[in-house]
């Protein structure tokens, strides 16, 4: 098999984002931020208030954290020591579902059963101490409506969760009731936050000078400290739900992916950048190159990462992965082209995310100068995908010029737990 060079070049061009389009995306993103803060329906960003500012770095005391973002749930007891230092005193983690043993996420489960299980984990984390007062921060990573720091009402389950009696309810009220049934009247849930907000809190506590936090993994989202206008009473962290940003030009592969997606017409940015979708876009483009347009191949972002890790002249990893998934054997020349396709899809992802970061930096700076700061990012794509940091740096220089060296990205691993504990401490302070 030999790929058609003209078609290959055309497909790569479809995933290219030049400096002009990068700048347009950054400007449009900032405009949507401003519209969203003003409550305009013309914004594609949700701009959800978190009811929290940034930690001072001097938070101290013992606080519980419940990290509830998926099937695996963690409860941690943190000792915040100030000066950005902390210690994990205990850590309990268990899945909400074990095949053939129990299932607290399926439609046959009730919310009461699920939260009783969570309360049991809290009991383990405090070693059945029913006397010492503890405040608990809760990272709850499901679509919720929130009017204060303490209460979040679940709008709808995602991630295949279907437990009855939780949608439409205030999750911390369910948790409080379960803690009482467990005898843990000494544990008080006092804060609920999104996982992206948790990333920002944890990084700002440890590093300081951090005003933007993001998830770059299976999905994508960004939050930031809003210092100026709109619904945010300064300073307040705003969860943008930035995966829903729409003011981008999807190519034909994006359109085809959206057509068969679970939420057609939604999450445009996320479908162009997140790890969950990179493999599907790659598979559709490769199918065209193979003369099998419309065929769906089951590649993953991990496959793309392995292709890019192999810098050899023959791109053997790309050839091996393609043969495993499609059954087609590639020449060394076509394997190199396949690796180039993977590189283009990853580069577009990174550059579009960089544009949203720059739009956010412009919003934070207002009419002033961009100041030295970190952007905290958590997630496997950021941590493990080759070429991410290089492409981020290149895009920053294209858009920020001489200001680019003032901004860097840092890895914020495990922020969901520490961020929840900090939220509990900050809510007590406030």
């Amino acid at each position: 098999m030999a790929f058609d060079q003209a078609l290959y070049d055309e497909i790569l061009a479809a995933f290219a984002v030049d400096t002009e389009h990068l700048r347009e995306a950054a400007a449009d993103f900032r405009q949507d931020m401003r519209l969203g803060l003003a409550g305009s329906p013309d914004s594609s960003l949700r701009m959800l208030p978190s009811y929290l500012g940034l930690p001072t770095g001097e938070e101290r005391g013992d606080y519980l954290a419940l990290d509830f973002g998926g099937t695996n749930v963690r409860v941690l007891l943190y000792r915040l020591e100030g000066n950005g230092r902390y210690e994990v005193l205990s850590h309990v983690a268990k899945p909400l579902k074990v095949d053939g043993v129990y299932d607290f996420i399926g439609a046959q489960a009730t919310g009461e059963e699920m939260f009783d299980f969570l309360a049991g984990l809290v009991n383990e984390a405090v070693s059945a101490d029913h006397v010492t007062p503890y405040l608990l921060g809760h990272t709850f990573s499901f679509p919720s409506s929130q009017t204060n720091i303490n209460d979040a009402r679940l709008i709808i389950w995602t991630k295949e969760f279907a437990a009855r009696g939780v949608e439409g309810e205030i999750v911390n009220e369910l948790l409080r009731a379960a803690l009482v049934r467990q005898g843990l009247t000494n544990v008080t849930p006092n804060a609920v936050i999104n996982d992206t907000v948790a990333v920002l809190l944890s990084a700002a506590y440890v590093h300081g000078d951090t005003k933007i936090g993001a998830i770059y993994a299976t999905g994508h989202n960004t939050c930031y400290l809003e210092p100026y206008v709109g619904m945010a009473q300064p300073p307040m962290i705003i969860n943008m739900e930035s995966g829903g940003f729409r003011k981008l030009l999807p190519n034909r592969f994006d359109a085809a992916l959206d057509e068969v997606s679970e939420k057609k017409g939604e999450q445009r940015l996320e479908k162009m950048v997140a790890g969950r979708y990179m493999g599907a876009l790659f598979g559709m483009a490769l199918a065209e190159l193979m003369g099998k347009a419309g065929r769906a191949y089951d590649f993953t972002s991990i496959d793309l990462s392995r292709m890019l890790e192999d810098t050899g002249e023959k791109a053997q990893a790309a050839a091996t992965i393609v043969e495993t998934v499609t059954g087609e054997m590639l020449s060394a020349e076509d394997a190199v082209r396949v690796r180039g396709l993977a590189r283009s899809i990853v580069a577009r992802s990174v550059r579009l995310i960089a544009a949203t970061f720059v739009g956010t930096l412009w919003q934070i700076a207002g009419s002033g100068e961009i100041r030295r700061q970190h952007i905290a990012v958590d997630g496997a794509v950021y941590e493990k995908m080759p070429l991410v940091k290089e492409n981020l740096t290149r895009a920053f220089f294209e858009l920020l010029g001489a200001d680019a060296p003032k901004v860097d990205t840092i890895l914020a691993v495990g922020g969901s737990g520490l961020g929840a504990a900090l939220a509990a401490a900050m809510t007590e302070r406030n």
Side-chain angles (χ1 to χ4, degrees):
M1 175 188 300
F3 294 158
D4 179 273
Q5 185 65 42
L7 176 60
Y8 177 75
D9 292 342
E10 189 271 327
I11 289 174
L12 257 58
F15 286 102
V17 182
D18 61 23
T19 302
E20 179 183 353
H21 287 96
L22 203 64
R23 189 170 297 277
E24 286 178 7
D28 287 343
F29 191 83
R30 188 194 179 189
Q31 177 64 5
D32 261 18
M33 291 175 69
R34 293 167 69 88
L35 289 170
L37 288 170
S40 170
D42 295 329
S43 174
S44 59
L45 299 173
R46 300 184 75 174
M47 305 303 285
L48 303 173
S50 71
Y51 304 96
L52 283 175
L54 293 179
T56 64
E58 294 305 310
E59 287 75 13
R60 288 180 167 85
D62 294 352
Y63 297 92
L64 283 162
L66 169 59
D67 180 12
F68 185 4
T71 303
N72 292 302
V73 178
R74 302 186 303 153
V75 178
L76 305 99
L77 179 58
Y78 283 91
R79 175 162 293 164
L80 304 179
E81 300 172 339
N83 298 313
R85 294 179 292 111
Y86 65 93
E87 180 183 356
V88 178
L89 301 180
S90 67
H91 177 194
V92 178
K94 288 184 180 178
L96 282 163
K97 177 181 178 180
V98 175
D99 289 339
V101 182
Y102 61 82
D103 180 358
F104 296 115
I105 70 173
Q108 74 282 2
T110 66
E112 184 172 302
E113 292 169 338
M114 171 187 281
F115 280 88
D116 280 344
F117 180 79
L118 298 178
L121 298 184
V122 175
N123 194 50
E124 285 188 52
V126 298
S127 301
D129 176 358
H130 292 190
V131 177
T132 306
Y134 291 105
L135 295 176
L136 180 147
H138 185 177
T139 298
F140 186 71
S141 305
F142 297 89
S144 305
S145 60
Q146 197 164 353
T147 55
N148 59 60
I149 185 58
N150 191 40
D151 296 318
R153 190 181 298 272
L154 176 63
I155 298 170
I156 187 171
W157 280 126
T158 55
K159 310 175 190 179
E160 299 185 5
F161 276 62
R164 293 176 282 116
V166 185
E167 291 182 347
E169 299 297 323
I170 295 173
V171 294
N172 261 5
E173 287 187 359
L174 298 176
L175 179 59
R176 286 187 198 101
L179 290 168
V180 169
R181 289 193 294 273
Q182 190 73 227
L184 289 165
T185 55
N186 56 317
V187 176
T188 304
N190 73 333
V192 185
I193 56 173
N194 171 273
D195 57 349
T196 314
V197 173
V199 167
L200 176 52
L201 291 177
S202 62
Y205 178 72
V206 175
H207 298 284
D209 296 327
T210 309
K211 295 181 173 64
I212 300 173
I215 302 288
Y216 189 10
T218 303
H220 171 63
N221 187 26
T222 300
C223 68
Y224 75 107
L225 183 73
E226 168 54 50
Y228 297 111
V229 297
M231 68 180 76
Q233 298 298 316
M236 186 184 289
I237 298 171
I238 299 293
N239 166 24
M240 294 189 278
E241 292 295 331
S242 58
F245 179 57
R246 292 189 54 79
K247 295 175 182 175
L248 299 164
L249 292 175
N251 61 33
R252 64 183 181 276
F253 305 108
D254 298 314
L257 184 149
D258 181 64
E259 192 66 29
V260 299
S261 67
E262 297 166 358
K263 297 183 179 180
K264 183 179 175 182
E266 299 180 27
Q267 298 297 101
R268 177 171 294 173
L269 174 63
E270 187 168 68
K271 289 172 183 173
M272 296 171 76
V273 303
R276 179 178 182 181
Y277 303 104
M278 285 183 190
L281 291 168
F282 174 86
M284 288 187 286
L286 180 63
E288 266 204 28
L289 282 172
M290 291 178 164
K292 298 178 180 179
R295 179 80 178 266
Y297 288 116
D298 192 20
F299 290 94
T300 68
S301 60
I302 295 173
D303 292 329
L304 273 60
S305 180
R306 289 172 177 162
M307 292 180 194
L308 297 179
E309 286 169 355
D310 175 11
T311 58
E313 292 183 4
K314 295 183 178 180
Q316 186 58 50
T320 300
I321 292 167
V322 168
E323 184 177 0
T324 299
V325 174
T326 71
E328 299 284 348
M329 296 184 65
L330 300 180
S331 66
E333 185 179 9
D334 281 345
V336 170
R337 290 191 179 106
V338 164
R339 183 174 61 191
L341 173 61
R343 184 182 298 116
S344 295
I345 289 171
V346 171
R348 183 186 72 158
S349 168
V350 179
R351 287 172 67 78
L352 289 177
I353 287 176
T356 69
F357 286 165
V358 170
T360 307
L361 289 166
W362 288 340
Q363 173 66 14
I364 292 171
S367 57
E369 292 186 0
I370 290 175
R371 298 187 176 184
R372 293 193 178 276
Q373 62 189 282
H374 309 296
I375 298 173
V377 188
D378 189 12
V381 174
Y382 175 78
E383 183 179 4
K384 298 178 180 179
M385 182 71 75
L387 308 179
V388 166
K389 295 174 183 63
E390 298 92 322
N391 277 291
L392 278 171
T393 300
R394 188 176 302 117
F396 286 160
F397 271 95
E398 288 176 49
L399 296 182
L400 298 174
D403 284 333
K406 297 179 181 179
V407 181
D408 66 356
T409 58
I410 57 174
L411 178 63
V413 176
S416 293
L418 178 58
L422 286 164
M426 294 165 64
T427 303
E428 179 184 35
R429 181 185 71 205
N430 294 336

